[in-house]
Each structure stands twice: as structure tokens, then as C-alpha cells.
Amino acid sequence: MIAEGVKTYQNYIGGQWRDGSGKDQLEIRDPANGELVYRSTSSTPEDARAAVQAAKEAYEHSDWAENSVARARGLYKLAEALRARVDDLARLLTREGGKPLSVSRAEVIRGADAIEYYAGLARNVYGRTVNLGPNEMAILMREPVGVVAIIVPWNMALSLLTRSLAPALAAGNAVVIKPASLTPGATAEFIQMIDDLAEVPKGIVNFVVGPGSSVGAELVRHPDVDMVAFTGDTSTGKDIMRMAADTLKKVSLELGGKSPNIVFADADFDRAIRGAITGASLFHAGQVCVAGSRVLVQESIHDEFMKRVNAMAEKMRVGPGLEKGVEVGPVINEGQLNRVMDYVEIGKREADLVVGGKRLTEGELGKGFFIAPTVFDRVPVQATIAQEEIFGPVLSVLTFKDEEEAAEIANATVYGLAAAVWTNDINKALRVAKQVRSGMVWINTFGKLYPNAEMGGFKQSGIGRQYGLEGLWEYTEMKHINIQLQDPKRASRNRVPPIGE
Ligand code: NAD
């Protein structure tokens, strides 16, 4: 798998590293300076079909689905193996994706943490029994769904993969992973760790690099894929749901957001200001699904709040993620840079640009895709930059008068992924939290996610839940085994007439 100098990654199918049948290799370049980081094979739908076949055979012919001890042990070992590689994998994540090294380190550690959590649950894939009457009972057992295609975006390649992979494996499924073509490298290194595990039968985990429109779509359409676990853009999620309809497969969709960060006048001011900046995920150039990209600030503190937020945003150090002290890395590529700058132009027509709003090209920055942290003030609720996910270092600030208006504005987009409320009044915090239609609401903090607590989208931010027990049940089917006891002395007193007898 490893060529001299620059590495070349391959697909991993049926326990073997092999080249895909795509014509050209992919060249993955560092978004901070354009340097070649590694190469990767590229695939066609033919490779996707081979991976599905390998997964299906392994699922049907190994004892993986029944062997919860092997699943638990394998996942514990995988978590340890990942922890042992935090440093070099974090460097690779930063080089392929641009984010500051500290963020990449956190990503690897969180990935390991999720795997460890689901290792503990692998032996607890339980259902329940129901006593239906004197002579009848139901065993409700959970079984794996079968073959799961896991399709991942580029912004958090490893933690978004492990968040789906760990519960899918813990529940006993076989998987085909399709990473984003922009960031397959750290994932390939991680797949090698799985290959090293004696507990995981070959073919249970497969990895295919290729375009979403062909390789990804093939996985979604394939009749032998039983479920698609997709993380990515909302419009892609809609396409996936349409494509999955033909074979009526299960889908889990983790999509985009435009999360409101609601700051009341009685909040701890310093914390709320830091929360506005970190919530907007400026550290990863705003390329985070739960980013609090809309700050809703109460009118009475607006001026003072803006003074402080602007000063902080202006001071943020932008540069290559590997450089010490850098707080904001580049965006992923030129296409994303142009997309974000188009939104900045739209924003200039809709609201007041108060910080940034330009590409940074001085010195070494000119080699990469750097955008200055950008703040727009007085953004109208229906403005494009208040409605659409920009996925760049751009903060839109809106104002509100009171609690009611705050909740109304918070809910005024098609998204419902996350939100935050900053106030020292716990009653107000909980009232607003209950009114906001999103899968996650933080109170006096932003962005905290835990493997043992569910997250996911309301509205057009998705279907299904990640993390926690619900995140495990996503990857299971419930089966009802019904038992009628033969006991002539005790006739059933169940008064509900049976159907189908
Ligand atoms: P994307 O939708 O373009 O791509 C995501 C993945 O889907 C990639 O692997 C891509 O190759 C594949 N894909 C694309 N078209 C496909 C198709 N027709 N069929 C099958 N697969 C296809 O998203 P992106 O630009 O890589 O990532 C950014 C988006 O992801 C943002 O919208 C962000 O909010 C979202 N996101 C959501 C979460 C969450 O948890 N809700 C987390 C991270 C990112």
C-alpha cells in the first residue's frame, strides 16, 4: 500500500488492498500551500459492487453478527490502536483538510472515544420480552441490518466515520465505507488498523475511494446494501433518499445546519462572546455542521457585544494548521473558497460587513485558500446569509427584542441541527430550549458532543440519531418472535381477537 516518498493509498476490499478501476489517481494537496500530500486510487461503480459483494459474503459466511465477544474485543483494540496514533494521524488530518493541529488531535481522540463507548455496547445489543397473555409471549430481538454503506464528508473525515462505523460494527453489520475524495488518507491509515485486528473477519469492513455521483450513488442504489448512513450536504441527502427509495433501504441522514447561538442580555458576557466565536467554528474556517453561524443577540447589549466580538474576530491568527498558535486554517479547496467568497459578496448587499470579508494572500498565505474571519452585522432574518449554510468562516449577527422573537428567529430556517442559549436565567434557558426546533440545544456552552448522548437533525438537518443508544439502534432491525405455549389447562384470556389465524 505504501509507495516510496509520497504514499499512494488503495481501496480495501475483502481484506485486500487493491487499486480501483478508475482511470486517474487522485492527488491530495495541502489546502494551506498546495503541496502534494499523498495520492489515492480512484474507483468506478465496478469497485463499489465488488466491495458490496465482499461485505455480503463476509456477513453471511462469518460469525460476526453472532459473535458479540469478538466485536467488543475488536472495537476495544481499535480504540487503543487509534489512540496510539493521535500524533501522526492528526498531522495527516491537518495536511489533507487544513484545520489546526489541536482540532485534528481532538478529532482522533473523539474517534477513539466513540469506538470505546460502542465496544462496551457490543455485548448489549438487547431487545425485550413481552408477556402477551397466559399462553403467549413475544421475544423482540435486535438483529444487524446487514450491509451498511457509510458515506462520509471531508470536514471531519475520521470522527464522522467512527461515529457511524463504531455502532454499525458493534451491532454486527458489515460495512462499505466511501470517504470524501478530498480526504481519503487518514481514513485509509485507520482501515489498516482494522486490517490488523484478528477479531474482524476479512470482508466485514471495506473501503472504496471514488466520486459520490458514481461510486457513492452505486452504493446507495445497490440492492444488496441494506442501509445507507450518510453525512453531508442537505441537497445530497435528498438525492440519497430518492435513490434509496427504489430498493426501500433504511437511511440515516446527518445533514447541514444554520445553527442559532442566542445571547440574552443577562448572559455571562465574556463567556457568551467566546461562545459566539468558538460556536461559529471559525477554528475550522466554519466548516463544521453544527457551527453556530447565526448569532442572535438581544438588542439591548448589541453594541457592546459587537465591539468585543469584532475585536476578537479581527485578532484571530489565520495560517497553516500545522503552525503553532494558528487559530483559523484554510478552507478545503478553491471551489469552497469561491463559494464562500460568493456568499460574502451576497452578504455585502444584504447586511453590514464589519470584519474580514476577503481572501488573505499576503506572503505564504497566497499559496493556500485562506479567508479572513468575517462578521456581518444587522443581518435580516430572511437574508441569504442568514438562511443558507455557507460552510466558511462567516458569522451572521441578527438582533431580537425578547424571548418570543428569539425563538421565532431561531426557527426561521429549514435547518434544525443545533442551537445554543446564553442566559443566567435557567427558566428562560429551558423555555427557549423547548421552543427551538433542533436536535441539540446547548445552554451556556457550544459544540459539546459526547458518544453517550444522542445528536441529530430536526427538519432538513437529517433523519435518525448519532451517538448514544439511539445511535446503536439505528443499525439494527427489530424482530418479533411470537410464541404460543401449549398449555391446555390455561386457555388464553387475551380478549383481542387474533388476526390471520
Ligand atoms: P457532500 O454532500 O458533497 O458529500 C458528502 C459525501 O457524499 C462525500 O463522500 C461525497 O462523495 C458523497 N456524495 C456526493 N454525492 C453523492 C451521491 N449522489 N450519492 C452518494 N454519495 C454522494 O458534502 P461535503 O461537501 O463533503 O460536506 C459538507 C456538508 O456536510 C455540509 O453541508 C455539512 O453541514 C454536512 N455535514 C453534516 C454533519 C452532521 O452531522 N449533520 C457533519 C458534518 C458535515
Side-chain angles (χ1 to χ4, degrees):
M1 160 179 132
I2 297 164
E4 284 210 330
V6 171
K7 280 189 182 181
T8 300
Y9 293 105
Q10 295 174 299
N11 289 336
Y12 180 72
I13 297 175
Q16 308 221 305
W17 291 100
R18 46 166 135 149
D19 281 333
S21 52
K23 241 189 6 250
D24 300 315
Q25 282 191 340
L26 307 176
E27 291 198 337
I28 307 304
R29 293 184 177 275
D30 187 332
N33 54 28
E35 280 170 17
L36 180 64
V37 184
Y38 57 81
R39 295 192 180 85
S40 167
T41 197
S42 115
S43 316
T44 66
E46 188 187 324
D47 305 303
R49 287 193 286 276
V52 173
Q53 194 184 338
K56 186 173 186 245
E57 276 169 19
Y59 182 75
E60 288 176 354
H61 302 301
S62 75
D63 68 349
W64 180 247
E66 301 287 346
N67 194 344
S68 61
V69 175
R71 301 203 303 269
R73 283 196 188 139
L75 286 170
Y76 276 124
K77 284 188 188 169
L78 185 58
E80 280 311 299
L82 192 51
R83 278 208 186 93
R85 298 272 310 271
V86 170
D87 290 332
D88 74 301
L89 278 185
R91 280 185 71 82
L92 186 52
L93 283 169
T94 289
R95 294 214 68 203
E96 69 183 15
K99 61 196 143 220
L101 198 54
S102 57
V103 182
S104 296
R105 285 182 61 86
E107 180 175 355
V108 182
I109 292 166
R110 283 179 40 160
D113 199 33
I115 295 170
E116 191 173 69
Y117 169 72
Y118 283 109
L121 285 179
R123 295 171 77 168
N124 289 288
V125 185
Y126 52 76
R128 61 188 200 277
T129 58
V130 183
N131 191 3
L132 298 168
N135 286 330
E136 46 198 321
M137 67 169 78
I139 300 174
L140 295 152
M141 59 186 289
R142 291 191 183 272
E143 294 184 356
V145 184
V147 174
V148 181
I150 301 179
I151 302 178
V152 187
W154 45 264
N155 61 322
M156 293 273 173
L158 207 55
S159 61
L160 297 175
L161 167 63
T162 50
R163 182 175 89 163
S164 299
L165 177 70
L169 293 182
N173 297 281
V175 303
V176 178
I177 297 161
K178 197 207 82 63
S181 302
L182 298 172
T183 55
T187 307
E189 294 284 347
F190 171 67
I191 300 291
Q192 179 63 55
M193 295 176 203
I194 299 176
D195 183 52
D196 292 341
L197 296 170
E199 289 81 1
V200 184
K202 300 304 176 203
I204 287 296
V205 175
N206 305 276
F207 169 73
V208 189
V209 184
S213 54
S214 55
V215 173
E218 180 67 22
L219 293 174
V220 178
R221 290 201 194 100
H222 200 296
D224 290 334
V225 170
D226 302 289
M227 173 178 176
V228 178
F230 170 79
T231 307
D233 195 70
T234 291
S235 65
T236 317
K238 291 177 185 176
D239 287 344
I240 283 180
M241 206 166 162
R242 277 183 213 107
M243 285 190 284
D246 279 342
T247 45
L248 219 69
K249 54 178 59 88
K250 197 170 177 176
V251 290
S252 146
L253 303 173
E254 284 289 319
L255 310 175
K258 191 78 189 175
S259 301
N261 206 348
I262 308 168
V263 184
F264 283 96
D266 63 356
D268 177 327
F269 207 59
D270 291 340
R271 284 181 62 192
I273 284 159
R274 274 198 308 278
I277 296 283
T278 53
S281 306
L282 296 179
F283 58 82
H284 189 12
Q287 302 167 122
V288 174
C289 57
V290 294
S293 51
R294 285 187 300 154
V295 168
L296 279 49
V297 60
Q298 195 154 22
E299 190 62 61
S300 57
I301 55 164
H302 168 268
D303 294 356
E304 183 57 21
F305 185 85
M306 288 312 291
K307 223 187 284 164
R308 299 271 305 277
V309 164
N310 294 350
M312 209 178 238
E314 254 159 14
K315 269 206 296 236
M316 291 185 89
R317 199 165 141 218
V318 182
L322 287 184
E323 229 172 81
K324 231 179 164 176
V326 158
E327 294 165 286
V328 184
V331 295
I332 187 80
N333 60 11
E334 196 172 358
Q336 188 68 9
L337 180 117
N338 292 336
R339 190 183 122 97
V340 176
M341 293 314 295
D342 285 349
Y343 274 114
V344 169
E345 287 309 311
I346 293 171
K348 284 183 192 167
R349 295 194 290 274
E350 295 181 322
D352 301 340
L353 173 66
V354 288
V355 179
K358 56 180 191 296
R359 179 178 183 180
L360 298 175
T361 52
E362 305 90 67
E364 293 290 296
L365 295 185
K367 293 183 183 163
F369 306 115
F370 296 96
I371 299 175
T374 297
V375 181
F376 282 101
D377 192 14
R378 300 285 176 199
V379 179
V381 181
Q382 291 307 328
T384 308
I385 59 165
Q387 292 291 322
E388 296 184 11
E389 185 182 45
I390 298 175
F391 229 54
V394 180
L395 190 57
S396 296
V397 180
L398 297 80
T399 54
F400 65 86
K401 281 192 303 294
D402 52 22
E403 217 176 297
E404 201 174 283
E405 196 185 20
E408 202 177 295
I409 296 174
N411 287 334
T413 75
V414 296
Y415 296 110
L417 191 56
V421 186
W422 299 81
T423 168
N424 277 330
D425 177 346
I426 187 66
N427 292 303
K428 191 196 292 178
L430 288 175
R431 281 197 301 270
V432 175
K434 283 180 71 177
Q435 286 178 72
V436 172
R437 298 203 61 225
S438 68
M440 172 105 224
V441 184
W442 290 286
I443 294 175
N444 294 330
T445 186
F446 201 101
K448 298 229 168 90
L449 297 170
Y450 308 83
N452 47 345
E454 283 77 358
M455 62 103 42
F458 279 29
K459 295 156 76 182
Q460 294 190 27
S461 286
I463 294 177
R465 287 294 172 272
Q466 304 287 323
Y467 291 142
L469 263 182
E470 295 294 329
L472 178 64
W473 302 153
E474 289 285 336
Y475 297 92
T476 64
E477 292 278 20
M478 176 72 90
K479 179 180 280 176
H480 173 175
I481 299 179
N482 184 272
I483 305 168
Q484 302 292 314
L485 297 182
Q486 306 244 321
D487 183 355
K489 287 194 219 110
R490 300 175 69 200
S492 175
R493 273 169 294 174
N494 194 339
R495 294 226 198 91
V496 183
I499 296 171
E501 284 180 354

